[in-house]
Amino acid sequence: MKIQRIPAQITTVEDKIAGNLNLTQITLLILPIFIFVLVYAVLIPSMHFAWYKVPLFLITGSLFPLLAIRFKEKLILQWLVILFRYNMRPAYYVFNKNDLYQRTIDLPPVEKKIKKHKTHVPVKKQTISPSLSFDDLVRIERLLANPGYSLSIKSQKKGAFSIAFEQKQK
C-alpha cells in the first residue's frame, strides 16, 4: 500500500504539471526557444544564420535550464531573487522614538475658556452699486489702461480697502 503525506499547509504545496516539474520550471525551459526565434528573426541578417548569434543562443540555452534546477526544495531562480532582495535592503535601520505611529499619548485635558461678551458696535459698510452701465465699464477700463494714471490699493483696519487713481507726476 502506498502512503502519501498530507501537508498541514496547503498553500505551500507546488502543483506538478509534467513529471516532477512545476509551471515555473516548464516556463524556464521553454523560454529559450522563444528567445532563439526572436534573435533569429530580428537581428541582422534577418532570418539567416550569423556567427554572432551563436553566443546568444549558447548563453540563453544554458542559463535558463540552470535557473530551473532545484536546490534545497527551491529553484535557483528563487534563491537569486532572495539574494537580490537581501542585498537591496537598507543596511542600517534608524529607530526614531519620536515617531507617533501606534503610540498612546497621554495629553492633559484642555480647559475651556469662557468668553466675555462685549457690546456689539455696528460697522459701517461701504458698498459699490453692483450694476454698472456699459459706458461706465468702458471708462474704467480705459482709465486702468492709461499709462498716465496709477492705481493704488491699500488695506486699512478691519479688512477695509482704500482704492485710489492718481495721475503720475512727470
Side-chain angles (χ1 to χ4, degrees), residues 84-109:
F84 178 74
R85 286 184 182 168
Y86 176 77
N87 288 331
M88 293 306 295
R89 68 177 176 80
Y92 298 103
Y93 291 99
V94 179
F95 177 73
N96 185 2
K97 68 177 186 178
N98 296 324
D99 190 11
L100 296 178
Y101 179 68
Q102 289 191 349
R103 284 183 65 187
T104 56
I105 300 172
D106 297 328
L107 296 175

Side-chain angles (χ1 to χ4, degrees), residues 101-154:
Y101 179 68
Q102 289 191 349
R103 284 183 65 187
T104 56
I105 300 172
D106 297 328
L107 296 175
V110 179
E111 297 177 9
K112 292 185 178 181
K113 295 183 181 179
I114 300 172
K115 294 183 180 180
K116 295 179 181 177
H117 295 289
K118 295 182 180 179
T119 58
H120 185 272
V121 180
V123 179
K124 295 180 183 178
K125 293 185 179 180
Q126 298 176 353
T127 59
I128 301 173
S129 69
S131 60
L132 295 173
S133 68
F134 183 72
D135 294 335
D136 292 336
L137 291 174
V138 170
R139 284 188 203 131
I140 291 172
E141 185 178 359
R142 286 183 185 161
L143 187 61
L144 290 173
N146 190 350
Y149 290 94
S150 68
L151 173 70
S152 65
I153 301 173
K154 296 178 183 175

Side-chain angles (χ1 to χ4, degrees), residues 38-64:
L38 185 70
V39 166
Y40 189 74
V42 172
L43 295 180
I44 300 173
S46 180
M47 302 299 283
H48 293 289
F49 179 77
W51 284 103
Y52 73 90
K53 294 180 183 180
V54 173
L56 296 173
F57 295 152
L58 292 175
I59 290 171
T60 56
S62 61
L63 179 69
F64 283 92

Side-chain angles (χ1 to χ4, degrees), residues 23-37:
L23 182 64
T24 308
Q25 286 175 310
I26 292 174
T27 306
L28 285 172
L29 293 174
I30 293 175
L31 199 59
I33 298 170
F34 292 113
I35 294 174
F36 293 163
V37 171

Side-chain angles (χ1 to χ4, degrees), residues 69-99:
I69 295 174
R70 285 194 175 277
F71 180 72
K72 293 188 179 179
E73 296 299 320
K74 287 191 181 208
L75 301 178
I76 302 244
L77 176 68
Q78 292 172 336
W79 286 111
L80 290 176
V81 169
I82 291 169
L83 186 64
F84 178 74
R85 286 184 182 168
Y86 176 77
N87 288 331
M88 293 306 295
R89 68 177 176 80
Y92 298 103
Y93 291 99
V94 179
F95 177 73
N96 185 2
K97 68 177 186 178
N98 296 324
D99 190 11

